[in-house]
Amino acid sequence: MPGDVAFMEKLVALCKRRGFIFPSSEIYGGINGFWDYGPLGVELKRNIKNAWWQDMVVNPPNGPDGNEIQMVGLDCSIIMNPKVWVASGHATGFSDPMVDCKACKARFRADQFRVVALTADAFSDTAAGSQTFVFSGYGARDEVLEANRKKVEKIAKAQGGDNVLEIRTFLDVRPSARAFVPCPECEQRGHLTDPRSFNLMFKTFVGAMEDASAEAWLRPETAQGIFANYKNVLDTSRVKIPFGIAQIGKAFRNEINPRNYTFRSREFEQMEIEYFCRDEDSMKWYEFWRTTRYQWYVGLGLKSEKLRLRDQTKEELAHYSRACADIEYLFPFSDEHQELEGCAHRGCFDLTQHMQHSGADLNYFEEELWAKFLAERKARGEPELTKDQKSEIAGKPPYRYLPTVIEPSAGADRATLAFLCEAYTEDQKPDAKGAMQTRVYMRFHPRLAPIKAAFLPLVNKDGMPELAEKLYRDAKKHFNAFYDDSGAIGRRYYRQDEAGTPYCVTIDGDTIGATNAQHPGTVTIRDRDTLEQVRVNHTRVIDWLREKIGV
RNA sequence: GCGGGCGUAGCUCAAUGGUAGAGUAUCAGCCUUCCAAGCUGAAUGUUGUGGGUUCGAGUCCCAUCGCCCGCUCCA
């Protein structure tokens, strides 16, 4: 859908011009689906990732019971044992065979492409038998039958029975018979391609020999590294359920068609939490993370109605998933909301899969609960359990079990793009000559702003540059600051507006104690959004800024 | 992958098939006491890339790459 193309073009131009985002390998003509962050962009994205780490790992909010949340970090390798992706389902689920119709240009997933024939021979026999393909359809088996009900009834009547039709997917059609299958869209025969595999995983080779035994994959998500290390974390960090493991890292997907600026990139960065809890508490934790994560975006400035929290419908849920909420943003390139983050209730699907495929015991044992159970028995004077009885009881819930997982999985690049879109603001104001000018400014939350403050001598004389530079160097000990002494003051303010710098500190005659100074020793601090200025003594300006910025 | 559009200086755009230019931004200097276009000077291009037609191609033709829009796809 079109969205606001003009807005998007202006934002993309600003990002390029000011050094937020560049196309990857641009001097070689670029490469579709890959992007680089420039000097301002890297600060913005790092601030977003740091805010996430600070707010989710270092100092997360209290949980629903009011207790401190246990959260530890992790940084896993991008390439893992290929068996990981078999266990997770990505090896099969990520690879879809597609069929194209060369006549009408339609494309179909071969496993959703239903071919209906009069006889089973059509699928397995010679070309002659294939003449009995009567029609085809796209979607679930029942949908296809429903959509073609009249045809089905007519055939049933002619054949004198009910279950006369053979329905299989295109994958079951013999290569020699494919030419006789009609296209679900245009119904023409003989224009369908062979099923071609669209594998969304990036393949690589471990070691210098590129043979099949060396095949490996770049991870399509960071989550599996967490599951694979779940036991290690449990054994080394003294965490107890409920607890979370968090990770920020790159992931790779061979998107069929990267589009919409950095939104659908082939290399991207995720910020993921796997939160492990008891199954009976899981919906409570799901609700907690769902709102906590939504509020996190709001608190950092994504507060317009463009941000929304949407619960997935039953039909959208993966088969193992009990609930999932998407945090979505209405980007200017689309008139539909797009996903920034998914908060999924994954049950114990992932740990079950990895336990089965790896053979490792990933069960959690409730030591405290077990000790309590034994103590209570003793207190009641009940006879001591035998070794066999103990292992029987201790081996099952509630003492030994696979925890349930809540997964808030956020896209760092998508969040960065959303914050960029939300920040972009234009307004009209008169310039020094009274002509109306468009002012463009990036309204970043101070925590996210690439540059927190700029230090500007009003004129380059009388010691103003020297004092401005001293303040600038003091400020840099605490936060990212900028010094600029070139050009008219208005022009310098404007440059900082485009970079999204929340505060500009100007050193003027009053600061250096000029004879007619009304407020000796003070600088002016200009607010990016309101354009209002306050005077603060130059000895207090760093503290003033630190308090405002929160560093 | 298909269809349509676009590629000239960092950016915005000029240039009948005949010497590639302007504005802006950048840099150096001057001038400047608060909201981008004050003065002087400097630097800036294999016209996306590769072929072809032509005495001569930014311009015409072909191919290719990239971007934008639509379709398709999106575990």
Side-chain angles (χ1 to χ4, degrees):
Chain A
M1 294 310 243
D4 188 345
V5 176
F7 180 98
M8 203 60 207
E9 280 177 356
K10 283 192 283 191
L11 178 71
V12 171
L14 182 138
C15 286
K16 172 84 190 298
R17 177 158 44 86
R18 294 309 310 260
F20 281 99
I21 295 170
F22 305 126
S24 169
S25 21
E26 194 183 11
I27 60 169
Y28 290 99
I31 175 167
N32 201 5
F34 298 89
W35 300 89
D36 299 339
Y37 289 87
L40 289 180
V42 70
E43 295 291 342
L44 174 64
K45 188 175 163 187
R46 265 185 52 241
N47 289 341
I48 290 167
K49 289 190 287 183
N50 287 348
W52 185 90
W53 194 266
Q54 172 65 29
D55 297 344
M56 297 297 130
V57 184
V58 178
N59 184 34
N62 286 341
D65 48 10
N67 292 331
E68 183 189 14
I69 283 181
Q70 292 183 88
M71 187 75 74
V72 293
L74 196 63
D75 187 351
C76 305
S77 65
I78 286 171
I79 295 171
M80 302 177 73
N81 187 310
K83 289 175 189 163
V84 167
W85 310 114
V86 177
S88 71
H90 289 87
T92 48
F94 240 50
S95 177
D96 295 326
M98 307 294 293
V99 178
D100 289 338
C101 173
K102 284 188 267 191
C104 70
K105 311 298 182 195
R107 171 175 288 170
F108 312 95
R109 267 175 61 172
D111 59 335
Q112 296 287 307
F113 186 137
R114 312 285 163 178
V115 184
V116 181
L118 293 176
T119 66
D121 288 353
F123 295 95
S124 56
D125 207 352
T126 58
S130 304
Q131 305 285 355
T132 65
F133 290 126
V134 283
F135 64 89
S136 64
Y138 191 59
R141 183 194 156 100
D142 293 344
E143 287 169 14
V144 171
L145 286 178
E146 183 60 29
N148 295 280
R149 192 159 58 178
K150 281 194 177 157
K151 278 186 203 165
V152 174
E153 283 169 358
K154 201 172 164 188
I155 293 165
K157 214 172 183 179
Q159 301 278 310
D162 277 338
N163 297 314
V164 292
L165 292 172
E166 277 290 316
I167 304 171
R168 310 245 184 116
T169 72
F170 192 80
L171 291 171
D172 295 325
V173 179
R174 270 284 185 78
S176 62
R178 284 176 193 150
F180 300 96
V181 176
C183 169
E185 195 66 37
C186 68
E187 301 186 1
Q188 294 185 72
R189 294 168 200 249
H191 298 285
L192 296 166
T193 64
D194 292 336
R196 292 175 292 186
S197 185
F198 281 58
N199 196 325
L200 300 183
M201 297 248 281
F202 269 89
K203 186 193 281 187
T204 188
F205 297 92
V206 174
M209 299 294 285
E210 293 195 359
D211 56 47
S213 66
E215 271 184 17
W217 309 93
L218 306 189
R219 66 181 177 198
E221 61 172 34
T222 60
Q224 299 306 323
I226 296 180
F227 294 125
N229 276 292
Y230 158 76
K231 195 74 178 161
N232 281 335
V233 172
L234 212 49
D235 291 345
T236 55
S237 64
R238 301 178 64 205
V239 287
K240 291 173 187 166
I241 277 180
F243 73 97
I245 304 178
Q247 172 163 223
I248 297 177
K250 291 260 179 139
F252 304 81
R253 297 182 192 183
N254 252 324
E255 299 288 354
I256 294 171
N257 194 354
R259 269 291 167 90
N260 295 332
Y261 203 30
T262 60
F263 183 81
R264 179 164 290 125
S265 301
R266 288 186 165 134
E267 175 178 342
F268 57 99
E269 201 155 13
Q270 291 184 304
M271 306 186 288
E272 290 198 295
I273 295 169
E274 303 300 333
Y275 197 78
F276 302 92
C277 59
R278 293 183 190 91
D279 194 59
E280 59 265 36
D281 298 334
S282 63
M283 284 314 287
K284 182 180 74 180
W285 281 108
Y286 167 73
E287 293 291 336
F288 170 79
W289 282 112
R290 180 181 168 281
T291 47
T292 296
R293 290 302 307 145
Y294 175 74
Q295 288 302 331
W296 185 80
Y297 291 98
V298 176
L300 285 173
L302 236 52
K303 49 190 146 191
S304 72
E305 69 293 342
K306 294 192 179 78
L307 185 74
R308 78 175 184 193
L309 181 59
R310 186 182 67 85
D311 292 307
Q312 284 194 7
T313 61
K314 285 245 156 43
E315 291 72 39
E316 288 177 273
L317 294 177
H319 63 89
Y320 49 78
S321 184
R322 220 171 297 168
C324 186
D326 286 343
I327 298 166
E328 300 178 324
Y329 189 75
L330 187 61
F331 283 98
F333 53 73
S334 173
D335 51 21
E336 287 170 24
H337 286 73
Q338 308 278 336
E339 182 182 343
L340 291 183
E341 171 162 352
C343 289
H345 185 308
R346 296 181 66 85
C348 58
F349 175 78
D350 303 277
L351 290 178
T352 303
Q353 290 293 110
H354 285 299
M355 195 157 86
Q356 282 173 2
H357 283 81
S358 68
D361 181 4
L362 301 181
N363 278 294
Y364 181 83
F365 184 61
E366 293 273 4
E367 289 182 71
E368 277 178 42
L369 198 63
W370 176 245
K372 196 177 157 202
F373 167 76
L374 291 180
E376 281 173 3
R377 275 187 65 92
K378 200 172 179 183
R380 289 196 295 268
E382 293 175 31
E384 195 168 335
L385 295 165
T386 68
K387 208 177 174 185
D388 284 351
Q389 284 174 318
K390 278 184 181 172
S391 62
E392 162 78 21
I393 299 169
K396 290 187 302 197
Y399 305 105
R400 192 178 190 78
Y401 60 90
L402 275 185
T404 289
V405 172
I406 310 299
E407 178 190 78
S409 168
D413 303 270
R414 290 182 173 188
T416 303
L417 184 57
F419 283 117
L420 279 166
C421 291
E422 183 87 0
Y424 185 94
T425 315
E426 284 181 4
D427 60 23
Q428 298 286 318
K429 70 176 186 67
D431 65 11
K433 291 175 182 166
M436 292 306 283
Q437 299 288 343
T438 301
R439 183 171 81 108
V440 173
Y441 60 110
M442 300 300 285
R443 197 153 36 175
F444 296 123
H445 188 286
R447 272 182 87 186
L448 301 186
I451 301 168
K452 310 301 186 190
F455 292 84
L456 318 169
L458 187 58
V459 287
N460 289 314
K461 62 181 187 185
D462 300 336
M464 291 181 210
E466 290 78 3
L467 183 52
E469 193 176 341
K470 179 190 174 299
L471 290 173
Y472 156 72
R473 294 185 70 97
D474 286 347
K476 286 222 295 181
K477 292 169 188 163
H478 306 286
F479 50 81
N480 196 27
F482 194 78
Y483 175 83
D484 190 358
D485 63 8
S486 74
I489 190 70
R491 181 192 298 275
R492 283 180 273 165
Y493 285 148
Y494 186 85
R495 286 185 195 130
Q496 294 307 315
D497 285 342
E498 278 196 337
T501 306
Y503 301 106
C504 284
V505 177
T506 303
I507 287 75
D508 62 10
D510 281 20
T511 321
I512 50 140
T515 49
N516 59 346
Q518 300 201 341
H519 308 280
T522 62
V523 299
T524 64
I525 305 178
R526 167 194 183 261
D527 184 284
R528 176 196 63 206
D529 303 335
T530 64
L531 301 180
E532 283 167 8
Q533 291 184 317
V534 295
R535 298 206 74 103
V536 173
N537 193 282
H538 74 82
T539 56
R540 294 209 318 272
V541 65
I542 306 294
D543 287 338
W544 189 96
L545 289 166
R546 287 178 68 188
E547 191 183 322
K548 289 282 185 186
I549 297 157
V551 290

